[in-house]
Amino acid sequence: MNSLFDMNKEQAHSRHQELAAEIKRHDAAYYTHDEPEISDAQYDALRRELEELEKQYPELVSADSPTQKVGAAPAKGFAKVRHAVPMLSLSNVFSEEELGEFLDRIRRFLTLPENESIEIIAEPKIDGLSCSLRYEGGKLVQAATRGDGYEGEDITENVKTIKDIPLTLPEDAPDILEVRGEIYMGRADFAALNKVQEETGAKTFANPRNAAAGSVRQLDVEITKTRPLKFFGYALGQVSEPFASSHFEVREQLKRWGIPETAYTICASLDDLMQNYQSILESRPDLDYEIDGVVYKVNRLDWQERLGFVARAPRWATAHKFPAERAITRLNAIDVQVGRTGVLTPVARLEPITVGGVVVSNATLHNQDEIDRKDIRIGDIVVIQRAGDVIPQVIEVLKDKRAGDPPSYQLPDTCPACGSLAIREEGEVAKRCTGGLICPAQRVERLKHFVSRLAFDIEGLGDKIIRDFFAEGLIRTPADIFRLEEGNKASLTPIRAREGWGDLSEKNLFAAINARRDIELNRFIYALGIRQIGEATAKMLAAQYGSIENFIRAMNEAQNRESEAYQSLIAMDGIGPSMADDLLGFFAEDHNREVLQDLLSQVSIKPYDAPQTQGSPVAGKTLVFTGALSISRSEAKAQAERLGAKVAGSVSSKTDYVIAGEDAGSKLKKAKDLGVKVLSEEEWLSLINEKNQ
Ligand code: IVH
């Protein structure tokens, strides 16, 4: 290439064209697939060359030059959007039996008599990307991805290019209407897109889902515009005026307002549902879009509301997944991975094989018992299975294909990462590394967990980067993440100078980290990575203790198992003694306390944002239900939790109310002994209904 100063105007012109095209192509590779073909440093160099050229020859600056696009350089990422109503996920069933249990649970929760039928709407489960469309005054004002369910990404401009989606609604639509649905790509359109990608040398997509997601999550809206995307509506978010009393009515009304809808079937029994499932399964190959199951939803909206949600999924809906796909391949080796809490997990390395359109080369073997039970040995020919997003499994070994008598497999007695003893405690299935914090694998896994989506959610700190930064000593503990920028300023080898990095990606990384210096208490607790403390439990703890100071104080006090703090911890519904042991064990360790203190010097913790309990007379109160109520115990509990109350399993002096139904026994007595306020069911109902006046 000529140097800038050797070029004549004509050459400069043609180099400019070349560069602009190349940068656009790399933008596409980067934003479409999250899979750049060149390093950030190389990309930055291209942009700099372009900028230099334009400085020399200002006449080259045109409206569509990459230098004129949003800001100086495209920033990776979209603005965040907080969902007015969370966008949750679906539970799964895989068999008639599990489907029957789903229906039974609903019947029990609602205390419906055996002869009352539960109307269910069955609709296809199209695999794409979920999206919430928000209309205000009949106009599409915002479109957002699901994200972590509470906060998604603003993709309004991209979504406006999807022809299927109306930009305005008729006058009779509510003032505020959120339509949740799926953006997807049809089979034929997917094939055609991949053909074009192939011809133009661009990367092809593995499946229609990836193609849809990649096409929507484009900073360059022009690219989204060219992609054949479709949409169908499957649920509502926030709505200013209710307009339906059943899911059926919702779908029909949405259709009248111009929102695309798929076909659906109304079923009234398990038999109906199974028949419908069979017929959809049979028609699957003829559909012009790919589906991975059937979604069932309770038709009555008042029932949906009563049923509510458990953890991340509604009780009133489930997905009936199609049978998993299987394939036969060779198990070449067994590797051992060390998890965050030291668990050794054997992983099968397989001869790569395509299962349902996806190449599989690893499968989990779970633990030693599983290997023994299936008699899995290295070199075996095995049947593997892949169901949806679940990690592939080894189903069985084809024993007649076994060559000779290879030795049976035993997990090692020492940790492959740190060499510490690995032991399996009495009554446990897992073998664990005893190295604790000296084990680099555990520390890296903890860091990975710390930045993961439901924890600190730091974009840009992927698994590989964490591993590398840990190995180089840049990040050893969570607090180091927040000191990275400061240290980088003084560093002789700054991050931007590394292979695969550049000014832009360095800047973005620090921006992503700094954006998380304010973090919600529930995310913070979850991020600590304490054994057994998952996302839902972290949320319960955050709701119970409200602030980080209270939480830490309570954990310290509860070290004494005789204390009230301990009693109220284990009285929390869903926290048993074993979970309490893990939780308290974490706080008992000096090292953990140091890490925590260090971290608290870097971040500030927002008190837990309890879901929609404004004006609730029982928000933050601790209740105990006892005796027989007119609704099921699960419903009573769910209802109280929706109002921000905490439901405990046993009565203590911290209990605010005991709600006593018929035939209440020892808990009622204890409440009276302790002087805790006792309410009858009627008194309880009138208390919580006050807020609706
Ligand atoms: S209902 C609270 N209905 O599947 C309601 N979801 O695995 C939750 N999906 O996140 C969603 N087709 O992206 C619903 N007919 C359908 C669906 C559907 C596809 C997707 C959706 C959801 C995911 C859950």
Side-chain angles (χ1 to χ4, degrees):
M1 182 194 68
N2 290 330
S3 115
L4 210 53
F5 299 99
D6 298 329
M7 282 187 191
N8 62 32
K9 205 168 159 183
E10 220 168 47
Q11 284 167 326
H13 207 105
S14 94
R15 178 67 187 150
H16 183 269
Q17 263 186 345
E18 218 173 272
L19 275 171
E22 208 177 332
I23 290 173
K24 278 185 194 159
R25 195 166 64 76
H26 289 307
D27 281 346
Y30 188 70
Y31 294 118
T32 311
H33 318 292
D34 265 350
E35 209 163 330
E37 296 163 26
I38 55 172
S39 70
D40 284 4
Q42 288 167 309
Y43 176 83
D44 287 345
L46 291 178
R47 285 196 73 97
R48 267 198 299 274
E49 197 191 337
L50 188 81
E51 281 159 20
E52 279 303 317
L53 261 181
E54 291 188 359
K55 229 190 255 166
Q56 292 272 323
Y57 301 98
E59 71 271 28
L60 292 177
V61 183
S62 70
D64 68 357
S65 162
T67 56
Q68 303 304 302
K69 290 267 159 71
V70 277
K76 187 169 186 246
F78 295 81
K80 297 266 182 191
V81 174
R82 191 135 195 107
H83 298 302
V85 175
M87 285 181 82
L88 301 178
S89 183
L90 287 173
S91 59
N92 290 325
V93 297
F94 283 93
S95 64
E96 177 164 0
E97 195 190 339
E98 288 176 5
L99 178 55
E101 285 164 12
F102 166 74
L103 295 175
D104 289 345
R105 266 198 306 278
I106 292 175
R107 189 176 293 285
R108 273 201 307 276
F109 189 96
L110 298 174
T111 58
L112 301 177
E114 274 310 313
N115 57 5
E116 175 141 15
S117 80
I118 304 172
E119 228 170 43
I120 300 279
I121 304 259
E123 51 194 38
K125 182 166 191 313
I126 304 182
D127 204 14
L129 109 143
S130 42
C131 176
S132 181
L133 306 175
R134 185 177 172 92
Y135 292 89
E136 286 177 13
K139 291 210 164 38
L140 178 63
V141 293
Q142 190 168 66
T145 62
R146 181 169 86 181
D148 65 4
Y150 302 95
E151 201 174 66
E153 287 173 329
D154 187 335
I155 50 166
T156 313
E157 294 312 310
N158 308 66
V159 163
K160 280 185 177 166
T161 69
I162 300 177
K163 292 173 202 72
D164 250 15
I165 296 181
L167 298 176
T168 54
L169 296 181
E171 284 203 339
D172 61 335
D175 188 38
I176 295 176
L177 174 68
E178 278 184 9
V179 179
R180 264 88 197 259
E182 198 84 349
I183 299 178
Y184 66 100
M185 203 177 278
R187 254 186 234 276
D189 288 333
F190 164 69
L193 172 65
N194 257 356
K195 193 150 171 273
V196 173
Q197 294 288 103
E198 210 172 304
E199 283 164 5
T200 55
K203 192 175 168 284
T204 54
F205 296 99
N207 53 44
R209 202 210 88 80
N210 286 5
S215 300
V216 172
R217 292 187 75 258
Q218 285 286 336
L219 282 185
D220 185 353
V221 173
E222 293 303 312
I223 298 178
T224 311
K225 202 187 244 172
T226 64
R227 299 285 167 82
L229 295 165
K230 293 199 168 86
F231 177 85
F232 84 100
Y234 57 59
L236 299 177
Q238 193 186 2
V239 180
S240 54
E241 302 114 52
F243 59 85
S245 63
S246 66
H247 185 60
F248 160 78
E249 286 171 20
V250 170
R251 296 195 54 142
E252 290 303 315
Q253 185 56 267
L254 288 180
K255 211 186 303 179
R256 278 194 291 275
W257 285 333
I259 304 282
E261 289 292 324
T262 54
Y264 59 85
T265 316
I266 304 184
C267 299
S269 66
L270 182 57
D271 284 349
D272 271 11
L273 285 167
M274 286 309 294
Q275 245 173 39
N276 173 68
Y277 173 80
Q278 276 311 328
S279 84
I280 293 185
L281 192 57
E282 279 154 30
S283 67
R284 188 180 181 192
D286 309 321
L287 295 174
D288 61 3
Y289 42 78
E290 275 185 19
I291 60 175
D292 58 351
V294 185
V295 178
Y296 302 134
K297 294 174 181 163
V298 169
N299 192 25
R300 278 177 59 164
L301 296 187
D302 58 340
W303 283 1
Q304 285 192 7
E305 193 169 329
R306 281 177 58 192
L307 285 158
F309 295 82
V310 57
R312 303 181 61 74
R315 282 195 194 80
W316 45 266
T318 196
H320 193 166
K321 290 289 194 76
F322 292 139
E325 298 182 82
R326 294 184 175 191
I328 294 173
T329 189
R330 179 187 303 277
L331 188 155
N332 289 331
I334 297 178
D335 283 350
V336 177
Q337 284 176 353
V338 185
R340 174 165 56 87
T341 57
V343 173
L344 306 191
T345 303
V347 178
R349 303 293 179 207
L350 306 166
E351 197 55 40
I353 182 147
T354 309
V355 194
V358 173
V359 179
V360 170
S361 45
N362 303 313
T364 173
L365 298 174
H366 303 285
N367 51 52
Q368 186 70 51
D369 289 354
E370 187 83 359
I371 293 177
D372 294 346
R373 201 163 49 77
K374 292 178 182 161
D375 187 18
I376 298 170
R377 306 191 195 181
I378 294 167
D380 276 348
I381 302 298
V382 295
V383 178
I384 59 162
Q385 169 173 300
R386 191 185 70 91
D389 296 334
V390 184
I391 308 169
Q393 323 267 322
V394 171
I395 295 299
E396 61 169 330
V397 170
L398 299 178
K399 297 265 173 56
D400 52 339
K401 298 235 160 52
R402 182 175 280 168
D405 186 20
S408 57
Y409 178 84
Q410 292 294 324
L411 276 170
D413 292 324
T414 54
C415 170
C418 70
S420 301
L421 214 56
I423 57 168
R424 181 171 170 183
E425 275 175 26
E426 186 78 28
E428 291 241 343
V429 283
K431 196 163 189 175
R432 285 175 199 267
C433 158
T434 54
L437 289 154
I438 67 144
C439 177
Q442 289 190 44
R443 295 183 64 179
V444 165
E445 290 306 313
R446 285 189 196 195
L447 288 166
K448 285 199 307 209
H449 173 81
F450 184 83
V451 300
S452 66
R453 205 160 75 138
L454 299 173
F456 268 66
D457 189 21
I458 300 178
E459 216 176 308
L461 279 182
D463 290 1
K464 183 176 176 321
I465 297 176
I466 291 277
R467 265 199 311 274
D468 291 352
F469 284 11
F470 180 84
E472 294 172 43
L474 283 178
I475 299 179
R476 307 294 288 189
T477 73
D480 291 342
I481 294 171
F482 296 96
R483 285 190 283 259
L484 204 55
E485 187 171 12
E486 213 36 57
N488 196 57
K489 282 186 190 144
S491 172
L492 293 176
T493 50
I495 290 172
R496 62 183 173 279
R498 287 157 187 268
E499 176 70 37
W501 289 83
D503 292 351
L504 178 64
S505 50
E506 184 190 273
K507 200 175 96 203
N508 287 340
L509 173 64
F510 294 143
I513 292 173
N514 290 329
R516 290 297 178 184
R517 283 184 188 269
D518 277 311
I519 189 90
E520 296 89 355
L521 180 59
N522 53 315
R523 280 181 179 268
F524 184 84
I525 296 176
Y526 174 70
L528 296 176
I530 303 167
R531 234 200 251 182
Q532 299 198 65
I533 310 298
E535 189 219 357
T537 313
K539 217 171 259 171
M540 273 167 43
L541 291 166
Q544 169 87 6
Y545 296 105
S547 72
I548 186 73
E549 293 77 16
N550 274 341
F551 176 56
I552 295 179
R553 190 178 322 116
M555 292 304 107
N556 289 338
E557 281 173 22
Q559 297 294 336
N560 171 3
R561 301 296 200 265
E562 305 294 311
S563 65
E564 270 220 16
Y566 182 74
Q567 289 310 320
S568 51
L569 174 65
I570 57 167
M572 279 173 72
D573 213 40
I575 300 227
S578 130
M579 235 187 225
D581 281 350
D582 282 338
L583 195 55
L584 297 173
F586 178 90
F587 284 89
E589 248 189 75
D590 285 347
H591 175 87
N592 290 336
R593 284 212 296 269
E594 279 160 29
V595 164
L596 194 61
Q597 275 315 319
D598 193 15
L599 189 55
L600 289 174
S601 71
Q602 297 293 328
V603 300
S604 61
I605 314 230
K606 295 187 259 188
Y608 179 66
D609 178 10
Q612 297 158 19
T613 50
Q614 270 170 354
S616 160
V618 294
K621 300 270 193 262
T622 302
L623 321 171
V624 174
F625 288 103
T626 182
L629 305 167
S630 67
I631 55 175
S632 69
R633 184 67 68 77
S634 340
E635 182 169 1
K637 175 167 180 276
Q639 191 181 46
E641 283 170 350
R642 264 203 296 273
L643 294 168
K646 291 164 282 198
V647 179
S650 60
V651 180
S652 78
S653 61
K654 289 263 170 75
T655 312
D656 293 293
Y657 299 113
V658 167
I659 295 105
E662 306 243 320
D663 301 325
S666 62
K667 288 183 192 169
L668 175 59
K669 182 174 176 311
K670 185 157 184 204
K672 286 182 176 156
D673 291 348
L674 291 172
V676 171
K677 191 159 175 58
V678 177
L679 301 177
S680 67
E681 188 178 1
E682 293 73 53
E683 287 169 324
W684 161 247
L685 290 176
S686 69
L687 174 67
I688 59 176
N689 286 328
E690 267 169 29
K691 71 149 185 111
N692 297 331
Q693 312 308 252

